[in-house]
Amino acid sequence: MSRTTFRSKGQLTLPEEIRSAARLEEGDLFDAEITADGILVRPQKLIDATQAWFWESAWRGGEREADDDQRAGRMASSSPWNSSLTICNTTEDSARDFV
C-alpha cells in the first residue's frame, strides 16, 4: 500500500509504481465515489487498455509507412482464398502436394 498527500487544490499524487502499472498519463480522466470502505478512484480510459498498443506512436508510424508503401505500389496483395481456391480446383492426386 502506498501513501500520498491531499494538496490544497484537491490534488493527489499517485506513486510512480501505481501510475506505471495502470498506464496512467497526464490528462487521464477518473471517476471518484464514496463507498462503504472509503473513497474509490477509477481511471476512465477512452481507449481500452487491451487496445492501447494500436494507438502507440510506433505502431501508428508503422501503419502510416505501410499505407505509403501501398499507395506507391511497393506492396503485393494476396488473399488467403487464393490458395484455398487452388486446392479446391485440383484433382485429388495433385491436391496432396499442397498439404
Side-chain angles (χ1 to χ4, degrees):
M1 178 178 290
S2 299
R3 185 174 293 226
T4 187
T5 302
F6 185 72
R7 303 286 178 192
S8 63
K9 294 183 181 181
Q11 296 176 335
L12 294 172
T13 300
L14 296 175
E16 172 60 31
E17 63 269 13
I18 292 175
R19 293 191 312 261
S20 293
R23 294 183 166 185
L24 299 176
E25 297 176 1
E26 184 176 345
D28 283 351
L29 301 174
F30 291 84
D31 283 342
E33 63 181 277
I34 300 292
T35 68
D37 294 324
I39 301 169
L40 175 62
V41 178
R42 239 187 257 115
Q44 295 301 306
K45 290 286 195 174
L46 298 178
I47 299 170
D48 186 280
T50 62
Q51 300 297 311
W53 58 269
F54 182 79
W55 298 101
E56 292 177 356
S57 60
W59 181 268
R60 300 301 299 159
E63 289 286 319
R64 279 190 296 278
E65 184 179 337
D67 289 343
D68 291 344
D69 286 344
Q70 188 174 26
R71 278 190 290 276
R74 294 187 295 260
M75 295 178 97
S77 63
S78 73
S79 166
W81 294 107
N82 291 344
S83 59
S84 298
L85 290 174
T86 301
I87 291 170
C88 290
N89 291 327
T90 59
T91 64
E92 185 178 317
D93 291 337
S94 60
R96 287 191 203 115
D97 297 335
F98 288 99
V99 179

Coordinates of all heavy atoms in Angstrom, one line a residue:
M1 N 0.8 -1.2 0.0 CA 0.0 0.0 0.0 C 0.9 1.2 0.0 O 1.9 1.3 0.7 CB -0.9 0.0 1.2 CG -1.8 1.2 1.3 SD -2.9 1.3 2.7 CE -4.0 0.0 2.2
S2 N 0.5 2.2 -0.8 CA 1.2 3.5 -0.9 C 0.5 4.6 -0.1 O -0.7 4.6 0.0 CB 1.4 3.9 -2.3 OG 2.2 2.9 -3.0
R3 N 1.2 5.6 0.3 CA 0.6 6.7 1.0 C 0.9 8.0 0.1 O 1.9 8.1 -0.5 CB 1.3 6.9 2.4 CG 0.7 8.0 3.2 CD 1.3 8.0 4.6 NE 0.9 6.7 5.2 CZ 0.4 6.6 6.4 NH1 0.3 7.7 7.2 NH2 0.0 5.5 6.9
T4 N -0.1 8.9 0.1 CA 0.0 10.1 -0.6 C -0.6 11.2 0.2 O -1.3 11.0 1.2 CB -0.7 10.0 -2.0 OG1 -0.4 11.2 -2.8 CG2 -2.2 9.8 -1.9
T5 N -0.4 12.5 -0.2 CA -0.9 13.6 0.5 C -1.9 14.4 -0.3 O -1.8 14.5 -1.5 CB 0.3 14.6 0.8 OG1 1.3 13.9 1.5 CG2 -0.1 15.8 1.6
F6 N -3.0 14.8 0.4 CA -4.0 15.6 -0.3 C -3.5 17.0 -0.3 O -3.2 17.6 0.8 CB -5.3 15.4 0.6 CG -6.5 16.1 0.0 CD1 -7.1 15.6 -1.2 CD2 -7.0 17.3 0.5 CE1 -8.2 16.3 -1.8 CE2 -8.1 17.9 0.0 CZ -8.7 17.4 -1.2
R7 N -3.5 17.7 -1.4 CA -3.0 19.0 -1.6 C -4.1 20.1 -1.5 O -5.3 19.8 -1.6 CB -2.2 19.1 -2.9 CG -1.1 18.2 -3.1 CD 0.1 18.5 -2.2 NE 1.1 17.5 -2.4 CZ 2.2 17.5 -1.6 NH1 2.3 18.3 -0.6 NH2 3.1 16.6 -1.8
S8 N -3.7 21.3 -1.4 CA -4.6 22.4 -1.2 C -5.6 22.6 -2.4 O -6.7 23.0 -2.1 CB -3.8 23.8 -1.1 OG -3.1 24.1 -2.3
K9 N -5.3 22.3 -3.6 CA -6.2 22.4 -4.7 C -7.0 21.1 -5.0 O -7.5 20.9 -6.1 CB -5.5 22.9 -6.0 CG -4.9 24.3 -5.8 CD -4.2 24.7 -7.1 CE -3.6 26.1 -7.0 NZ -3.0 26.5 -8.2
G10 N -7.0 20.2 -4.0 CA -7.8 19.0 -4.2 C -7.0 17.9 -5.0 O -7.6 17.0 -5.5
Q11 N -5.7 18.1 -5.0 CA -4.9 17.2 -5.8 C -4.2 16.1 -5.0 O -3.8 16.3 -3.9 CB -3.8 17.9 -6.6 CG -4.3 18.9 -7.6 CD -3.2 19.8 -8.2 OE1 -2.1 19.9 -7.6 NE2 -3.5 20.3 -9.3
L12 N -4.1 14.9 -5.6 CA -3.4 13.8 -5.0 C -2.3 13.4 -6.0 O -2.6 13.4 -7.2 CB -4.3 12.5 -4.8 CG -5.4 12.7 -3.8 CD1 -6.3 11.4 -3.8 CD2 -4.8 12.8 -2.4
T13 N -1.2 13.0 -5.5 CA -0.1 12.5 -6.4 C 0.0 11.0 -6.2 O 0.2 10.5 -5.1 CB 1.2 13.1 -6.1 OG1 1.1 14.5 -6.3 CG2 2.3 12.6 -7.0
L14 N -0.3 10.2 -7.3 CA -0.2 8.8 -7.2 C 1.3 8.4 -7.3 O 2.0 8.9 -8.2 CB -1.0 8.1 -8.2 CG -2.6 8.3 -8.1 CD1 -3.3 7.7 -9.4 CD2 -3.1 7.8 -6.9
P15 N 1.7 7.4 -6.6 CA 3.1 7.0 -6.7 C 3.4 6.4 -8.1 O 2.5 5.9 -8.8 CB 3.2 5.9 -5.6 CG 2.2 6.2 -4.7 CD 1.0 6.8 -5.4
E16 N 4.6 6.5 -8.5 CA 5.1 6.1 -9.8 C 4.7 4.6 -10.1 O 4.3 4.3 -11.2 CB 6.6 6.3 -10.0 CG 7.2 5.7 -11.3 CD 6.6 6.3 -12.6 OE1 6.2 7.4 -12.6 OE2 6.5 5.5 -13.6
E17 N 4.9 3.7 -9.2 CA 4.6 2.3 -9.4 C 3.1 2.1 -9.7 O 2.7 1.3 -10.6 CB 5.0 1.4 -8.3 CG 4.3 1.6 -7.0 CD 5.1 2.6 -6.0 OE1 5.9 3.3 -6.5 OE2 4.7 2.7 -4.8
I18 N 2.2 2.9 -9.1 CA 0.8 2.8 -9.4 C 0.5 3.4 -10.8 O -0.2 2.8 -11.6 CB 0.0 3.5 -8.4 CG1 0.1 2.7 -7.1 CG2 -1.5 3.6 -8.8 CD1 -0.6 3.3 -5.9
R19 N 1.1 4.6 -11.1 CA 0.9 5.2 -12.4 C 1.4 4.3 -13.5 O 0.7 4.1 -14.6 CB 1.6 6.6 -12.5 CG 1.0 7.6 -11.5 CD 1.5 9.0 -11.8 NE 2.9 9.1 -11.9 CZ 3.8 9.5 -11.0 NH1 3.3 9.8 -9.8 NH2 5.1 9.6 -11.2
S20 N 2.5 3.7 -13.4 CA 3.1 2.8 -14.4 C 2.2 1.5 -14.6 O 1.9 1.2 -15.7 CB 4.5 2.4 -14.1 OG 5.3 3.5 -14.1
A21 N 1.8 0.9 -13.5 CA 1.0 -0.3 -13.6 C -0.3 -0.1 -14.2 O -0.8 -0.9 -15.0 CB 0.9 -0.9 -12.2
A22 N -0.9 1.1 -14.0 CA -2.2 1.4 -14.5 C -2.1 2.1 -15.9 O -3.1 2.5 -16.5 CB -3.0 2.3 -13.6
R23 N -0.9 2.3 -16.3 CA -0.6 3.1 -17.6 C -1.3 4.4 -17.6 O -1.9 4.8 -18.6 CB -1.1 2.2 -18.8 CG -0.3 1.0 -19.0 CD -0.7 0.3 -20.2 NE 0.2 -0.7 -20.6 CZ 0.2 -1.4 -21.7 NH1 -0.8 -1.3 -22.5 NH2 1.1 -2.3 -22.0
L24 N -1.2 5.1 -16.5 CA -1.8 6.5 -16.4 C -0.9 7.5 -17.1 O 0.3 7.5 -17.0 CB -2.0 6.8 -15.0 CG -3.0 5.9 -14.2 CD1 -3.1 6.3 -12.7 CD2 -4.4 5.9 -14.9
E25 N -1.5 8.5 -17.7 CA -0.8 9.6 -18.3 C -1.5 10.9 -17.9 O -2.7 10.9 -17.5 CB -0.9 9.5 -19.8 CG -0.2 8.2 -20.3 CD -0.3 8.1 -21.8 OE1 -1.0 9.0 -22.5 OE2 0.2 7.1 -22.4
E26 N -0.7 12.0 -17.9 CA -1.3 13.3 -17.6 C -2.5 13.6 -18.5 O -2.5 13.3 -19.7 CB -0.2 14.4 -17.9 CG -0.7 15.8 -17.4 CD 0.4 16.8 -17.6 OE1 1.6 16.5 -17.8 OE2 0.0 18.0 -17.6
G27 N -3.6 14.0 -17.8 CA -4.8 14.4 -18.5 C -5.8 13.2 -18.5 O -6.9 13.4 -19.0
D28 N -5.4 12.0 -18.0 CA -6.4 10.9 -17.9 C -7.6 11.3 -17.0 O -7.4 12.1 -16.0 CB -5.8 9.7 -17.4 CG -4.9 9.0 -18.4 OD1 -5.0 9.3 -19.6 OD2 -4.2 8.0 -18.0
L29 N -8.8 10.8 -17.3 CA -10.0 11.1 -16.5 C -10.2 10.0 -15.5 O -9.8 8.9 -15.7 CB -11.2 11.1 -17.5 CG -11.1 12.2 -18.6 CD1 -12.3 12.0 -19.5 CD2 -11.1 13.6 -18.0
F30 N -10.8 10.4 -14.4 CA -11.1 9.5 -13.3 C -12.5 9.6 -12.8 O -13.1 10.7 -12.8 CB -10.2 9.7 -12.1 CG -8.7 9.4 -12.3 CD1 -7.9 10.3 -12.9 CD2 -8.2 8.2 -11.9 CE1 -6.6 10.0 -13.2 CE2 -6.9 7.9 -12.1 CZ -6.1 8.8 -12.8
D31 N -13.1 8.5 -12.4 CA -14.4 8.6 -11.6 C -14.0 8.4 -10.2 O -13.1 7.6 -9.8 CB -15.3 7.4 -12.1 CG -16.0 7.7 -13.4 OD1 -16.0 8.8 -13.8 OD2 -16.5 6.7 -14.0
A32 N -14.7 9.2 -9.3 CA -14.4 9.1 -7.9 C -15.8 8.9 -7.2 O -16.8 9.6 -7.6 CB -13.7 10.3 -7.4
E33 N -15.8 8.1 -6.2 CA -17.1 7.9 -5.4 C -16.8 7.5 -4.0 O -15.7 6.9 -3.7 CB -18.0 6.9 -6.1 CG -17.4 5.5 -6.1 CD -18.4 4.5 -6.8 OE1 -19.3 4.0 -6.2 OE2 -18.1 4.3 -8.0
I34 N -17.7 7.8 -3.1 CA -17.6 7.4 -1.7 C -18.2 6.0 -1.6 O -19.3 5.7 -2.2 CB -18.4 8.3 -0.8 CG1 -17.8 9.8 -0.9 CG2 -18.4 7.8 0.6 CD1 -16.4 9.9 -0.3
T35 N -17.5 5.1 -1.0 CA -18.0 3.7 -0.8 C -18.0 3.4 0.7 O -17.6 4.2 1.5 CB -17.2 2.7 -1.5 OG1 -15.9 2.6 -0.9 CG2 -17.0 3.0 -3.0
A36 N -18.6 2.3 1.0 CA -18.6 1.9 2.5 C -17.2 1.7 3.0 O -16.9 1.9 4.2 CB -19.3 0.6 2.6
D37 N -16.2 1.4 2.1 CA -14.8 1.3 2.5 C -14.0 2.5 2.5 O -12.8 2.5 2.9 CB -14.1 0.2 1.7 CG -14.7 -1.2 1.9 OD1 -15.1 -1.5 3.1 OD2 -14.9 -1.9 0.9
G38 N -14.5 3.6 1.9 CA -13.7 4.8 1.8 C -14.0 5.5 0.4 O -15.1 5.5 -0.1
I39 N -12.9 6.0 -0.2 CA -13.0 6.7 -1.5 C -12.5 5.7 -2.6 O -11.4 5.2 -2.4 CB -12.2 8.0 -1.5 CG1 -12.7 8.9 -0.4 CG2 -12.2 8.7 -2.8 CD1 -11.8 10.1 -0.1
L40 N -13.2 5.6 -3.6 CA -12.8 4.7 -4.7 C -12.5 5.6 -5.9 O -13.4 6.4 -6.3 CB -13.9 3.7 -5.1 CG -13.6 2.8 -6.3 CD1 -12.4 2.0 -6.1 CD2 -14.8 2.0 -6.6
V41 N -11.3 5.6 -6.5 CA -11.0 6.4 -7.6 C -10.6 5.4 -8.8 O -9.8 4.5 -8.6 CB -9.7 7.3 -7.3 CG1 -9.3 8.1 -8.6 CG2 -10.0 8.2 -6.2
R42 N -11.4 5.5 -9.9 CA -11.2 4.6 -11.0 C -10.8 5.4 -12.3 O -11.5 6.3 -12.7 CB -12.6 3.9 -11.3 CG -12.6 2.5 -11.2 CD -13.9 1.9 -11.6 NE -14.7 1.5 -10.4 CZ -15.8 2.1 -10.1 NH1 -16.4 3.0 -10.7 NH2 -16.5 1.6 -9.0
P43 N -9.7 5.0 -12.9 CA -9.4 5.6 -14.2 C -10.4 5.3 -15.3 O -10.9 4.2 -15.3 CB -8.0 5.1 -14.5 CG -7.8 3.8 -13.7 CD -8.7 3.9 -12.5
Q44 N -10.7 6.3 -16.1 CA -11.6 6.1 -17.2 C -10.9 6.3 -18.5 O -10.8 7.4 -19.0 CB -12.8 7.0 -17.1 CG -13.7 6.7 -15.9 CD -14.2 5.3 -15.9 OE1 -14.9 4.9 -16.9 NE2 -14.0 4.6 -14.8
K45 N -10.3 5.3 -19.0 CA -9.5 5.4 -20.2 C -10.5 5.5 -21.4 O -11.5 4.7 -21.5 CB -8.6 4.2 -20.4 CG -7.4 4.2 -19.5 CD -6.4 5.2 -19.9 CE -5.1 4.9 -19.2 NZ -4.1 5.8 -19.7
L46 N -10.3 6.4 -22.3 CA -11.1 6.4 -23.5 C -10.8 5.3 -24.5 O -11.7 4.9 -25.3 CB -10.9 7.8 -24.2 CG -11.3 9.0 -23.3 CD1 -11.0 10.3 -24.1 CD2 -12.8 9.0 -22.9
I47 N -9.6 4.7 -24.3 CA -9.2 3.6 -25.2 C -9.0 2.4 -24.2 O -8.3 2.5 -23.2 CB -7.9 3.9 -25.9 CG1 -8.1 5.1 -26.9 CG2 -7.4 2.7 -26.7 CD1 -6.9 5.6 -27.5
D48 N -9.6 1.3 -24.5 CA -9.5 0.1 -23.7 C -8.0 -0.3 -23.6 O -7.3 -0.2 -24.6 CB -10.3 -1.0 -24.3 CG -10.3 -2.2 -23.4 OD1 -9.3 -3.0 -23.4 OD2 -11.3 -2.5 -22.7
A49 N -7.5 -0.6 -22.4 CA -6.1 -0.9 -22.2 C -5.6 -2.1 -23.1 O -4.5 -2.1 -23.5 CB -5.9 -1.3 -20.7
T50 N -6.5 -3.0 -23.4 CA -6.1 -4.1 -24.3 C -5.9 -3.7 -25.7 O -5.3 -4.4 -26.5 CB -7.1 -5.3 -24.2 OG1 -8.4 -4.8 -24.7 CG2 -7.3 -5.8 -22.8
Q51 N -6.4 -2.5 -26.1 CA -6.3 -2.0 -27.4 C -5.3 -0.8 -27.5 O -5.1 -0.2 -28.6 CB -7.6 -1.5 -27.9 CG -8.6 -2.7 -28.0 CD -8.2 -3.8 -28.9 OE1 -7.9 -3.5 -30.1 NE2 -8.3 -5.0 -28.5
A52 N -4.7 -0.4 -26.4 CA -3.8 0.7 -26.3 C -2.6 0.6 -27.3 O -2.2 1.6 -27.8 CB -3.3 1.0 -24.9
W53 N -2.1 -0.6 -27.5 CA -1.0 -0.8 -28.4 C -1.2 -0.2 -29.8 O -0.3 0.3 -30.4 CB -0.6 -2.3 -28.5 CG -1.8 -3.1 -29.1 CD1 -2.7 -3.7 -28.3 CD2 -2.1 -3.3 -30.4 NE1 -3.6 -4.3 -29.1 CE2 -3.3 -4.1 -30.4 CE3 -1.5 -3.0 -31.6 CZ2 -3.9 -4.5 -31.6 CZ3 -2.2 -3.4 -32.8 CH2 -3.3 -4.2 -32.8
F54 N -2.5 -0.2 -30.2 CA -2.8 0.2 -31.6 C -2.6 1.7 -31.7 O -2.3 2.2 -32.8 CB -4.3 -0.1 -31.9 CG -4.7 0.3 -33.3 CD1 -4.4 -0.4 -34.4 CD2 -5.4 1.5 -33.5 CE1 -4.7 0.0 -35.7 CE2 -5.8 1.9 -34.7 CZ -5.5 1.1 -35.8
W55 N -2.7 2.5 -30.6 CA -2.6 3.9 -30.6 C -1.2 4.4 -30.2 O -1.0 5.6 -30.2 CB -3.7 4.5 -29.7 CG -5.0 4.1 -30.2 CD1 -5.8 3.1 -29.7 CD2 -5.7 4.7 -31.3 NE1 -7.0 3.1 -30.4 CE2 -6.9 4.0 -31.4 CE3 -5.4 5.7 -32.2 CZ2 -7.8 4.3 -32.4 CZ3 -6.3 6.0 -33.2 CH2 -7.5 5.3 -33.3
E56 N -0.3 3.5 -30.0 CA 1.1 4.0 -29.6 C 1.7 4.5 -30.9 O 1.5 4.1 -32.0 CB 1.9 2.8 -29.1 CG 1.4 2.3 -27.7 CD 2.1 1.1 -27.2 OE1 3.0 0.6 -27.9 OE2 1.8 0.7 -26.1
S57 N 2.6 5.5 -30.7 CA 3.2 6.2 -31.8 C 4.0 5.3 -32.7 O 4.0 5.4 -34.0 CB 4.1 7.4 -31.4 OG 5.1 6.9 -30.5
A58 N 4.7 4.3 -32.2 CA 5.5 3.4 -33.0 C 4.6 2.6 -33.9 O 4.9 2.4 -35.1 CB 6.3 2.5 -32.1
W59 N 3.5 2.1 -33.4 CA 2.5 1.3 -34.2 C 1.9 2.2 -35.3 O 1.8 1.8 -36.4 CB 1.5 0.7 -33.3 CG 0.5 -0.2 -34.1 CD1 -0.7 0.2 -34.7 CD2 0.7 -1.5 -34.5 NE1 -1.2 -0.8 -35.4 CE2 -0.4 -1.9 -35.3 CE3 1.7 -2.5 -34.3 CZ2 -0.6 -3.1 -35.8 CZ3 1.5 -3.7 -34.8 CH2 0.4 -4.0 -35.6
R60 N 1.5 3.4 -34.9 CA 0.8 4.3 -35.9 C 1.8 4.6 -37.0 O 1.4 4.7 -38.1 CB 0.3 5.5 -35.2 CG -0.7 5.3 -34.1 CD -2.0 4.5 -34.5 NE -2.7 5.3 -35.5 CZ -3.5 4.8 -36.4 NH1 -3.8 3.5 -36.3 NH2 -4.1 5.5 -37.3
G61 N 3.1 4.8 -36.6 CA 4.1 5.1 -37.6 C 4.3 4.0 -38.6 O 4.4 4.2 -39.8
G62 N 4.2 2.7 -38.1 CA 4.3 1.6 -39.0 C 3.1 1.5 -39.9 O 3.2 1.1 -41.1
E63 N 1.9 1.8 -39.4 CA 0.7 1.8 -40.2 C 0.8 2.9 -41.3 O 0.4 2.6 -42.5 CB -0.5 2.1 -39.3 CG -0.9 1.0 -38.4 CD -1.6 -0.1 -39.1 OE1 -2.4 0.1 -40.0 OE2 -1.2 -1.3 -38.8
R64 N 1.3 4.1 -41.0 CA 1.5 5.1 -42.0 C 2.5 4.7 -43.1 O 2.2 4.9 -44.3 CB 1.9 6.4 -41.3 CG 0.8 7.2 -40.7 CD 1.3 8.6 -40.3 NE 2.3 8.6 -39.3 CZ 2.0 8.4 -38.0 NH1 0.8 8.3 -37.5 NH2 3.0 8.4 -37.1
E65 N 3.5 4.0 -42.6 CA 4.6 3.6 -43.6 C 4.0 2.5 -44.5 O 4.2 2.5 -45.7 CB 5.7 3.0 -42.8 CG 6.9 2.5 -43.7 CD 8.0 2.0 -42.9 OE1 8.2 2.3 -41.7 OE2 8.8 1.2 -43.5
A66 N 3.2 1.6 -44.0 CA 2.5 0.6 -44.8 C 1.5 1.2 -45.8 O 1.5 0.8 -46.9 CB 1.8 -0.5 -43.9
D67 N 0.8 2.2 -45.3 CA -0.2 2.9 -46.2 C 0.6 3.6 -47.3 O 0.2 3.5 -48.5 CB -1.0 3.9 -45.4 CG -2.0 3.3 -44.5 OD1 -2.3 2.1 -44.7 OD2 -2.5 4.0 -43.6
D68 N 1.7 4.2 -47.0 CA 2.5 4.9 -48.0 C 3.1 3.9 -49.0 O 3.0 4.1 -50.3 CB 3.7 5.6 -47.4 CG 3.3 6.9 -46.6 OD1 2.1 7.3 -46.8 OD2 4.1 7.3 -45.8
D69 N 3.6 2.7 -48.6 CA 4.1 1.7 -49.5 C 3.0 1.2 -50.4 O 3.2 1.0 -51.6 CB 4.6 0.5 -48.6 CG 6.0 0.8 -48.0 OD1 6.6 1.8 -48.4 OD2 6.4 0.1 -47.1
Q70 N 1.8 1.0 -49.8 CA 0.7 0.5 -50.6 C 0.3 1.5 -51.7 O 0.1 1.2 -52.9 CB -0.5 0.2 -49.8 CG -1.7 -0.5 -50.5 CD -2.8 -0.9 -49.6 OE1 -3.0 -0.3 -48.5 NE2 -3.5 -1.9 -50.0
R71 N 0.2 2.8 -51.3 CA -0.1 3.9 -52.3 C 0.9 4.0 -53.4 O 0.6 4.3 -54.6 CB -0.3 5.2 -51.6 CG -1.7 5.4 -51.0 CD -1.9 6.8 -50.6 NE -1.1 7.2 -49.4 CZ -1.4 7.0 -48.1 NH1 -2.5 6.4 -47.9 NH2 -0.6 7.3 -47.2
A72 N 2.2 3.7 -53.0 CA 3.3 3.9 -54.0 C 3.5 2.6 -54.8 O 4.4 2.5 -55.7 CB 4.6 4.2 -53.3
G73 N 2.7 1.6 -54.6 CA 2.8 0.3 -55.3 C 3.9 -0.6 -54.9 O 4.4 -1.4 -55.7
R74 N 4.4 -0.4 -53.7 CA 5.6 -1.2 -53.2 C 5.1 -2.4 -52.5 O 5.9 -3.1 -51.8 CB 6.5 -0.3 -52.3 CG 7.2 0.8 -53.1 CD 8.2 1.5 -52.2 NE 7.6 2.2 -51.1 CZ 7.3 3.5 -51.0 NH1 7.6 4.2 -52.0 NH2 6.8 4.0 -49.9
M75 N 3.8 -2.8 -52.6 CA 3.3 -4.0 -51.9 C 2.5 -4.8 -52.9 O 1.9 -4.4 -53.8 CB 2.3 -3.6 -50.8 CG 2.9 -2.8 -49.7 SD 1.5 -2.3 -48.5 CE 1.7 -3.6 -47.3
A76 N 2.6 -6.1 -52.7 CA 1.8 -7.0 -53.4 C 0.7 -7.5 -52.5 O 0.9 -7.8 -51.4 CB 2.6 -8.2 -53.9
S77 N -0.5 -7.6 -53.0 CA -1.6 -8.0 -52.2 C -1.8 -9.5 -52.4 O -1.6 -10.0 -53.5 CB -2.9 -7.3 -52.5 OG -3.3 -7.5 -53.8
S78 N -2.2 -10.2 -51.4 CA -2.6 -11.6 -51.5 C -3.8 -11.9 -50.7 O -4.2 -11.2 -49.8 CB -1.4 -12.5 -51.1 OG -1.3 -12.5 -49.7
S79 N -4.4 -13.0 -51.0 CA -5.6 -13.4 -50.3 C -5.5 -14.8 -49.9 O -5.0 -15.6 -50.6 CB -6.8 -13.2 -51.3 OG -8.0 -13.9 -50.7
P80 N -5.9 -15.1 -48.6 CA -5.8 -16.5 -48.2 C -6.8 -17.4 -49.0 O -6.6 -18.6 -49.1 CB -6.3 -16.4 -46.7 CG -7.0 -15.1 -46.6 CD -6.4 -14.2 -47.6
W81 N -7.7 -16.8 -49.7 CA -8.7 -17.5 -50.5 C -8.0 -18.1 -51.8 O -8.4 -19.1 -52.3 CB -9.9 -16.7 -50.9 CG -10.7 -16.3 -49.7 CD1 -10.8 -15.1 -49.1 CD2 -11.5 -17.2 -48.9 NE1 -11.6 -15.2 -48.0 CE2 -12.1 -16.4 -47.9 CE3 -11.8 -18.6 -49.0 CZ2 -12.9 -17.0 -47.0 CZ3 -12.7 -19.1 -48.1 CH2 -13.2 -18.3 -47.1
N82 N -6.9 -17.4 -52.3 CA -6.3 -17.8 -53.5 C -5.8 -19.3 -53.4 O -6.0 -20.1 -54.2 CB -5.1 -16.9 -53.8 CG -5.6 -15.5 -54.3 OD1 -6.7 -15.3 -54.6 ND2 -4.7 -14.6 -54.3
S83 N -5.0 -19.6 -52.3 CA -4.5 -20.9 -52.1 C -5.6 -21.9 -51.9 O -5.6 -23.0 -52.3 CB -3.5 -21.0 -51.0 OG -4.0 -20.6 -49.8
S84 N -6.7 -21.5 -51.2 CA -7.8 -22.4 -50.9 C -8.5 -22.7 -52.2 O -8.9 -23.9 -52.4 CB -8.8 -21.8 -49.9 OG -8.1 -21.5 -48.7
L85 N -8.7 -21.8 -53.0 CA -9.4 -22.0 -54.3 C -8.6 -22.9 -55.2 O -9.1 -23.8 -55.9 CB -9.7 -20.7 -55.0 CG -10.8 -19.8 -54.3 CD1 -10.9 -18.5 -55.0 CD2 -12.1 -20.5 -54.3
T86 N -7.2 -22.7 -55.2 CA -6.4 -23.6 -56.0 C -6.5 -25.0 -55.6 O -6.6 -25.9 -56.4 CB -4.9 -23.1 -55.8 OG1 -4.8 -21.8 -56.2 CG2 -4.0 -24.0 -56.6
I87 N -6.6 -25.3 -54.3 CA -6.7 -26.6 -53.8 C -8.1 -27.2 -54.2 O -8.2 -28.3 -54.6 CB -6.5 -26.7 -52.2 CG1 -5.1 -26.4 -51.9 CG2 -7.0 -28.0 -51.7 CD1 -4.8 -26.2 -50.4
C88 N -9.1 -26.4 -54.1 CA -10.5 -26.9 -54.5 C -10.6 -27.2 -55.9 O -11.4 -28.0 -56.3 CB -11.5 -25.8 -54.1 SG -11.7 -25.6 -52.3
N89 N -9.8 -26.5 -56.8 CA -9.9 -26.7 -58.2 C -8.9 -27.8 -58.8 O -8.7 -27.9 -60.0 CB -9.7 -25.4 -58.9 CG -10.8 -24.4 -58.7 OD1 -12.0 -24.9 -58.6 ND2 -10.5 -23.2 -58.6
T90 N -8.2 -28.5 -57.9 CA -7.3 -29.5 -58.3 C -7.9 -30.9 -58.2 O -8.9 -31.1 -57.4 CB -6.0 -29.4 -57.5 OG1 -6.3 -29.6 -56.2 CG2 -5.3 -28.1 -57.8
T91 N -7.2 -31.9 -58.8 CA -7.7 -33.2 -58.6 C -7.2 -33.7 -57.3 O -6.3 -33.1 -56.6 CB -7.1 -34.1 -59.7 OG1 -5.7 -34.1 -59.6 CG2 -7.5 -33.6 -61.1
E92 N -7.7 -34.8 -56.8 CA -7.3 -35.4 -55.5 C -5.8 -35.7 -55.5 O -5.2 -35.4 -54.5 CB -8.1 -36.7 -55.2 CG -7.9 -37.2 -53.8 CD -8.7 -38.4 -53.6 OE1 -9.9 -38.4 -53.9 OE2 -8.2 -39.4 -53.0
D93 N -5.3 -36.2 -56.5 CA -3.8 -36.6 -56.6 C -3.0 -35.3 -56.4 O -2.0 -35.3 -55.7 CB -3.5 -37.3 -57.8 CG -4.1 -38.8 -57.8 OD1 -4.4 -39.3 -56.7 OD2 -4.3 -39.3 -58.9
S94 N -3.3 -34.3 -57.2 CA -2.4 -33.1 -57.2 C -2.7 -32.3 -55.9 O -1.8 -31.5 -55.5 CB -2.6 -32.3 -58.4 OG -4.0 -31.8 -58.5
A95 N -3.8 -32.5 -55.3 CA -4.1 -31.7 -54.0 C -3.2 -32.1 -52.9 O -2.9 -31.4 -52.0 CB -5.6 -31.9 -53.6
R96 N -2.7 -33.4 -52.9 CA -1.8 -33.9 -51.9 C -0.5 -33.1 -51.8 O 0.1 -33.0 -50.8 CB -1.5 -35.4 -52.1 CG -2.6 -36.2 -51.8 CD -2.2 -37.7 -51.7 NE -3.4 -38.5 -52.0 CZ -3.7 -39.2 -53.0 NH1 -2.8 -39.4 -53.9 NH2 -4.8 -39.9 -53.1
D97 N -0.1 -32.5 -53.0 CA 1.1 -31.7 -53.0 C 1.0 -30.4 -52.2 O 1.9 -29.8 -51.7 CB 1.4 -31.3 -54.4 CG 1.7 -32.5 -55.3 OD1 2.1 -33.5 -54.7 OD2 1.6 -32.4 -56.5
F98 N -0.3 -29.9 -51.9 CA -0.5 -28.7 -51.2 C -0.5 -28.9 -49.7 O -0.4 -28.0 -48.9 CB -1.8 -28.0 -51.6 CG -1.8 -27.4 -53.0 CD1 -2.3 -28.1 -54.1 CD2 -1.2 -26.2 -53.2 CE1 -2.3 -27.5 -55.3 CE2 -1.1 -25.6 -54.4 CZ -1.7 -26.3 -55.5
V99 N -0.7 -30.1 -49.3 CA -0.9 -30.4 -47.8 C 0.5 -30.6 -47.2 O 1.4 -30.9 -47.7 CB -1.7 -31.7 -47.6 CG1 -1.9 -32.0 -46.2 CG2 -3.1 -31.5 -48.3

